[in-house]
Amino acid sequence: MKDFSHLDDQQKPSVVNVSSKKITHRKATAKAVVQLPEHIFSKLQDANFNTAKGSVFQTAIIAGIMAAKKTGDLIPLCHPIGMENCSINIDFNDFNEIEIFCTAEVEAKTGIEMEALIGASLAALTIYDMCKAMSHDIVIKEIKLMEKTGGKNDFKRS
C-alpha cells in the first residue's frame, strides 16, 4: 500500500520533493460531464450554443485553459509547472450530456494530471455559470482522470 504523497515523515503537509526526478514528456487527459435539463439543452442547441453572455463552449474552453495554467496557484501543494500545451474539446454523449475533455502536456519532473483535471473542471463550471439563469438544476456529474503518461506510472481508464 502506498502512502499519501503530500505528508512528510512527521505527517505534516509537504510539497513532494522532485529534485532527483528526471525530466520526461508528460501528458494527461481529464473528463468532466455536465448534465443539463432538457429545456436548457434544447434552447442551447437552437441558439447554436450562444447566449447573451457569448458562446458557451468557446467561453468554457478559454476558462478551462486559463485555469489549467494557474493550477499551481489553486492547489496548495501542487508544483507550479510551465505547461506547454493545453486543449479542451467539448462534445455531447448519447444521453444529451456535455462531455469536456482537457488534455495538457509538459516536459517536466512532475505530472500534469492536476492541470488537466482543473481545466476540465473550470470549463464545466463555466458552462454552469452561463446557463444557471435558466435553471439551477444543472449537474456536474463527474470529473475524472482518463489517461496520463510520462511519469513513474502510466494510467489509462478503460
Side-chain angles (χ1 to χ4, degrees), residues 77-96:
L77 300 176
C78 189
H79 289 89
I81 58 175
M83 187 175 62
E84 295 164 346
N85 188 31
C86 184
S87 63
I88 294 182
N89 294 302
I90 302 175
D91 210 346
F92 308 102
N93 65 23
D94 294 336
F95 307 103
N96 286 340

Side-chain angles (χ1 to χ4, degrees), residues 9-29:
D9 57 358
Q10 296 173 341
Q11 302 301 299
K12 291 188 288 186
S14 168
V15 173
V16 174
N17 184 351
V18 297
S19 60
S20 63
K21 287 186 172 186
K22 293 186 181 193
I23 294 173
T24 60
H25 179 82
R26 295 160 184 267
K27 182 177 179 180
T29 300

Side-chain angles (χ1 to χ4, degrees), residues 138-156:
I138 301 166
V139 178
I140 298 173
K141 286 179 59 172
E142 61 185 16
I143 300 165
K144 61 186 175 184
L145 182 66
M146 299 303 293
E147 181 175 12
K148 82 171 196 74
T149 59
K152 187 179 358 176
N153 300 306
D154 289 350
F155 169 83
K156 184 167 182 139

Side-chain angles (χ1 to χ4, degrees), residues 108-144:
K109 292 181 174 190
T110 189
I112 191 80
E113 61 265 31
M114 295 312 299
E115 285 73 10
L117 286 160
I118 288 285
S121 300
L122 257 290
L125 287 166
T126 299
I127 291 170
Y128 184 102
D129 179 54
M130 294 185 77
C131 297
K132 73 179 187 269
M134 292 184 274
S135 173
H136 289 288
D137 194 24
I138 301 166
V139 178
I140 298 173
K141 286 179 59 172
E142 61 185 16
I143 300 165
K144 61 186 175 184

